[in-house]
Amino acid sequence: MSNSTPLPSSKTILLHNDKPIDIDTLRLNSLSNNSTVLDLVKELGLTNPSQAVALYVNALPADFSALLCECEKIELFDFDDAQGRGKEVFWHSTAHILAQAVLRLYPNAQPTIGPAISGGFYYDFAGLDISLEDLKKIEKEMQKIAKNGATPTRETFSAEKAKELFHDNPFKLEIINDLLKPKEDQLSNNNSPVFSGYRQEEFFDLCRGPHLSSLSKVKAIKLLKTSGAYWRGDSTNVMLTRIYGVSFPSKDLLKEHLTFLAEAAARDHKMLGPKLDLFSFHPESPGVPFLHPSGLILFEKLLSFWRELHKKRGYQEIKTPQLLTKSLWETSGHWDHYKENMFVTQSEDREFALKPMSCPGGMLYYKSKHFSYKDLPLKLSEVGLVHRNEFSGALSGLFRVRAFHQDDAHIFLLPEQIAEQVCEILELIAEIYSTFDLSWSLELSTRPSTHTIGTDEQWENATQGLENALKRYGMNYKVNPGDGAFYGPKIDVHVGDAIGRSWQCATIQLDMALPERFNLEYTDATAKRQRPIMLHRAILGSVERFMGILIEHYKGRLPLWLNPQQVRVVPVAHSHHEMAEKIHNQLIELGFHSKVDDRNESMGKRIRCAQLEQVNYMLVIGDKEVETGDLSLRSRENPDSANVSLNEFLEKLCTERNTRSNKSLF
């Protein structure tokens, strides 16, 4: 390095996708104190469209125009950065391209907000009326803008200037005024906050950034759909037009993504569930699923498996009321921190609420008895029906509902038992998820910045307790700052399905606040009264939501032990009905779900019907089967028929079910 380089190894840390780069080995003679991070990126040869799409300087998001002389720590992230930092910048920049294209084609439209989201981006517009056909035209204009390769440049200005720049956009003005509200103390001291916006060619938008170094990195764009969306998600506000899209640094990546979306659509539980006659929704109870007979069988099979494993581990199952008084929710803290999500009612001049979670009821059970240290850990499980007043626009099949069953558990324990009990829960999680061939990962969520209960010491001790448990368990985890529950930190467990999607299911929450609020106690070895620590814990999360995940994970092809449609017996003619009924009855006696299909339809149509209903096994009974006593078997996975003896079939069928196999034994 020359003496003019601003990157002496004693000062600057340089990372690329979280991997350190040895500065001493670099030859950066062309750089000077006036050089930017973009100059450094070019010097490093990170010029592929997928490389160096996002930047952190001194641990904060930044633009590539940042001066090297001001950088003590530089972190560069590619598009495929594991934590999604690259995609977030890439997709937010493309949202600006979308807004620019819309304004070119529809000058009277008013842009509002355009964030990056999981799987792409969207932008909301007022004064825009378009159809799906119009998306192609907008997409073409976006491609033209990206090809021009403008560099988004940041501009800063005062609050007064911000209002002047966006005087004709009431949505931007509302955002500006909201940002000023918490700054009133600064305004009184003549310290007006600084606003920022980004300019690319003729388009300018209020935005804090950061953005791509060049829009030319966006090589492939696809607008996916359009829908209505209330301004700021409030149904009392004006309805906007939302356009969803996705973009990539190469056409091949877009092609892969569209293939993935097609596969995800084919697995959509909102389509497969009704098709398989598992559940339905009705406007008379919006957001609450109706489980059909087959759906209830699946529901009960999941809970039977769940109860079996919990019984082995010493859990005691309880059931607490759904309707509880306002005073209870005030004691728990939910009335102050969660009321907007609760269904509230009155009776005899008293206020009640349907429980959104089961924990307060568990507190009352604990208070109804006297416990000593010898009784701890006390493991109480509950499959509680809970209600949450979700916004109607957020409802989504079984994934987001207003009423669901939570596989809850509350474990009351001594401080020295935290690590052991958390590890035991993680072992239970591993056993349950592995049964379904689901992968999983861990995330530690810490204290939110506002609206929490409990002391600083309680939060510190609780967080440390979970960290120690995770280290003891020995599995890698990442930290999610500020995403804990209002009463304590938590471990969130994300499961990965058959096509690589991630779902947040299990949670383990360490709570020192509720035992104190409810004045819970136990007697220690010296006969003194002490406060227990409590773990909240769910594994399936919502049983209904987990059903939806499994439907999509298996693409509706549920394994034998879960399937409400296990065996279909198809007699070719009326003369074969007696044997079909005999086999059917044997299957019923063994606890299988069997059905004889003797409708006046062709055999081919009846077999096809069984295949569409994802029946695991089909037995065709004709003259040959009646004569030999053997069976003509077709499996869901193999449409070709095979001859098996009845005893062999029943033996393997029982083995496949009892071992909870995910694969057919035929």
Side-chain angles (χ1 to χ4, degrees):
M1 291 187 181
S2 69
N3 293 331
S4 63
T5 179
L7 286 172
S9 59
S10 60
K11 176 187 175 186
T12 303
I13 301 171
L14 180 58
L15 300 155
H16 179 221
N17 292 331
D18 296 323
K19 296 179 180 179
I21 297 177
D22 186 356
I23 296 174
D24 291 331
T25 65
L26 300 177
R27 295 183 179 180
L28 305 175
N29 296 321
S30 65
L31 300 180
S32 69
N33 286 328
N34 294 323
S35 297
T36 65
V37 177
L38 182 58
D39 295 325
L40 171 65
V41 166
K42 292 176 179 177
E43 192 78 14
L44 294 173
L46 301 176
T47 55
N48 185 286
S50 66
Q51 292 179 313
V53 299
L55 164 70
Y56 276 28
V57 169
N58 305 335
L60 294 174
D63 287 308
F64 286 86
S65 58
L67 294 175
L68 290 177
C69 59
E70 298 174 356
C71 301
E72 295 183 4
K73 183 178 181 181
I74 300 172
E75 299 172 84
L76 303 170
F77 305 107
D78 292 348
F79 180 81
D80 57 1
D81 159 54
Q83 295 187 38
R85 293 161 292 194
K87 290 185 176 70
E88 182 177 2
V89 171
F90 198 95
W91 286 336
H92 178 56
S93 294
T94 315
H96 276 225
I97 296 176
L98 168 59
Q100 182 180 359
V102 166
L103 288 180
R104 282 185 178 181
L105 299 170
Y106 307 93
N108 294 326
Q110 289 185 315
T112 63
I113 58 170
I117 57 174
S118 175
F121 59 88
Y122 70 77
Y123 211 114
D124 288 346
F125 301 90
L128 179 65
D129 184 16
I130 59 171
S131 64
L132 279 174
E133 289 72 26
D134 295 318
L135 295 185
K136 292 181 180 178
K137 179 170 61 175
I138 299 172
E139 196 177 285
K140 187 175 181 179
E141 190 65 32
M142 291 177 68
Q143 291 165 347
K144 186 189 301 182
I145 293 169
K147 189 175 181 180
N148 285 343
T151 297
T153 55
R154 189 172 191 262
E155 299 178 14
T156 58
F157 37 85
S158 66
E160 291 73 18
K161 183 65 174 178
K163 292 179 181 180
E164 179 185 331
L165 288 167
F166 298 98
H167 70 278
D168 58 348
N169 188 321
F171 305 97
K172 300 291 185 183
L173 289 176
E174 185 176 326
I175 294 172
I176 292 167
N177 289 326
D178 283 351
L179 291 171
L180 288 173
K181 286 177 183 177
K183 307 288 186 181
E184 288 177 358
D185 58 329
Q186 298 181 19
L187 291 173
S188 63
N189 295 325
N190 296 318
N191 187 20
S192 179
V194 175
F195 286 79
S196 65
Y198 279 79
R199 189 178 300 279
Q200 54 195 52
E201 299 176 311
E202 82 283 1
F203 177 70
F204 184 71
D205 201 2
L206 184 71
C207 181
R208 67 177 177 224
H211 282 272
L212 292 171
S213 59
S214 171
L215 298 183
S216 63
K217 284 183 172 289
V218 181
K219 299 297 185 183
I221 300 169
K222 180 66 178 178
L223 296 183
L224 301 171
K225 62 179 180 178
T226 181
S227 69
Y230 292 111
W231 168 237
R232 294 194 156 178
D234 187 339
S235 59
T236 63
N237 287 337
V238 64
M239 177 72 78
L240 306 172
T241 296
R242 175 171 294 179
I243 301 176
Y244 289 93
V246 69
S247 61
F248 292 91
S250 76
K251 292 182 179 179
D252 286 343
L253 286 175
L254 175 60
K255 185 177 179 181
E256 288 177 15
H257 183 72
L258 295 179
T259 301
F260 166 81
L261 290 180
E263 179 61 27
R267 294 171 180 265
D268 187 352
H269 78 282
K270 297 188 295 296
M271 301 294 292
L272 290 176
K275 185 177 178 181
L276 297 175
D277 199 21
L278 297 173
F279 62 84
S280 60
F281 287 88
H282 300 275
E284 290 78 5
S285 186
V288 181
F290 287 67
L291 294 186
H292 297 191
S294 289
L296 189 58
I297 290 172
L298 173 57
F299 180 88
E300 293 295 344
K301 283 178 179 289
L302 282 173
L303 287 186
S304 177
F305 171 55
W306 182 89
R307 287 189 168 104
E308 175 188 319
L309 297 185
H310 282 70
K311 186 176 180 180
K312 289 179 182 178
R313 287 167 174 78
Y315 284 83
Q316 302 175 64
E317 188 170 355
I318 63 172
K319 183 175 177 60
T320 61
Q322 286 180 254
L323 196 64
L324 296 155
T325 63
K326 172 186 174 181
S327 60
L328 177 79
W329 300 110
E330 287 176 326
T331 301
S332 69
H334 290 88
W335 198 261
D336 292 330
H337 299 277
Y338 205 76
K339 183 183 176 183
E340 67 276 7
N341 297 107
M342 297 166 66
F343 288 99
V344 178
T345 187
Q346 287 190 334
S347 176
E348 297 180 345
D349 298 324
R350 299 176 70 193
E351 283 191 277
F352 294 80
L354 286 171
K355 66 179 182 183
M357 58 272 297
S358 298
C359 3
M363 305 302 103
L364 295 184
Y365 169 82
Y366 186 95
K367 283 180 70 72
S368 71
K369 304 182 74 174
H370 298 285
F371 296 99
S372 81
Y373 72 99
K374 293 181 180 179
D375 298 312
L376 306 183
L378 176 68
K379 306 174 186 177
L380 302 175
S381 63
E382 178 175 10
V383 182
L385 175 58
V386 299
H387 290 76
R388 297 182 182 177
N389 191 12
E390 300 283 2
F391 174 59
S392 61
L395 301 175
S396 177
L398 297 180
F399 288 164
R400 197 71 175 266
V401 293
R402 285 178 169 159
F404 59 92
H405 292 80
Q406 190 171 49
D407 66 318
D408 217 343
H410 299 99
I411 303 172
F412 301 90
L413 64 158
L414 308 173
E416 59 268 26
Q417 295 172 332
I418 293 174
E420 176 188 357
Q421 289 304 308
V422 171
C423 287
E424 184 181 296
I425 294 169
L426 292 172
E427 289 167 0
L428 177 58
I429 287 170
E431 182 172 1
I432 289 177
Y433 290 165
S434 63
T435 301
F436 303 105
D437 282 347
L438 293 165
S439 61
W440 56 293
S441 60
L442 299 172
E443 184 176 88
L444 175 63
S445 299
T446 59
R447 187 178 189 174
S449 58
T450 59
H451 302 298
T452 62
I453 60 176
T455 66
D456 292 344
E457 182 181 6
Q458 286 174 328
W459 274 89
E460 184 176 345
N461 290 339
T463 304
Q464 189 62 53
L466 290 182
E467 286 181 338
N468 291 340
L470 286 168
K471 290 173 182 176
R472 174 171 169 173
Y473 187 71
M475 184 172 169
N476 291 333
Y477 66 93
K478 71 175 184 177
V479 177
N480 188 12
D483 201 40
F486 72 85
Y487 48 76
K490 59 179 180 173
I491 298 170
D492 286 326
V493 183
H494 299 263
V495 301
D497 68 9
I499 58 173
R501 295 173 300 181
S502 179
W503 310 93
Q504 198 277 309
C505 289
T507 183
I508 306 170
Q509 302 170 2
L510 200 157
D511 190 348
M512 296 182 178
L514 280 187
E516 183 170 324
R517 282 176 165 252
F518 282 90
N519 196 29
L520 304 187
E521 295 180 333
Y522 68 90
T523 305
D524 68 13
T526 64
K528 291 182 179 179
R529 306 299 291 174
Q530 303 288 351
R531 189 84 67 216
I533 292 173
M534 186 179 70
L535 289 171
H536 304 255
R537 186 243 65 184
I539 297 179
L540 305 181
S542 156
V543 181
E544 287 83 353
R545 181 172 179 269
F546 197 77
M547 285 172 56
I549 291 172
L550 291 183
I551 291 168
E552 298 203 1
H553 175 57
Y554 290 117
K555 205 174 182 178
R557 302 160 72 88
L558 296 168
L560 179 74
W561 72 277
L562 281 177
N563 203 346
Q565 306 281 352
Q566 294 174 326
V567 183
R568 188 68 49 85
V569 185
V570 184
V572 176
H574 182 71
S575 58
H576 311 125
H577 190 272
E578 182 179 349
M579 181 177 178
E581 281 291 339
K582 181 179 179 181
I583 295 170
H584 165 71
N585 290 333
Q586 285 182 270
L587 289 165
I588 295 297
E589 287 177 8
L590 290 170
F592 290 100
H593 302 290
S594 172
K595 178 181 177 181
V596 176
D597 187 354
D598 56 359
R599 293 174 299 160
N600 188 26
E601 300 283 359
S602 69
M603 187 187 73
K605 186 172 183 178
R606 285 178 285 165
I607 289 293
R608 179 60 180 158
C609 180
Q611 291 171 334
L612 291 173
E613 293 176 8
Q614 301 300 339
V615 178
N616 295 89
Y617 297 109
M618 293 140 272
L619 301 175
V620 177
I621 309 300
D623 290 338
K624 182 180 178 182
E625 287 71 35
V626 170
E627 180 181 345
T628 64
D630 287 341
L631 307 176
S632 176
L633 170 68
R634 301 181 187 215
S635 73
R636 185 178 59 194
E637 285 69 28
N638 184 5
D640 295 330
S641 60
N643 293 324
V644 295
S645 69
L646 177 60
N647 287 339
E648 180 188 359
F649 175 67
L650 295 179
E651 182 180 343
K652 284 189 175 181
L653 201 65
C654 288
T655 299
E656 185 176 335
R657 177 191 62 185
N658 297 343
T659 58
R660 298 191 174 99
S661 174
N662 282 292
K663 296 180 180 180
S664 169
L665 295 186
F666 293 94

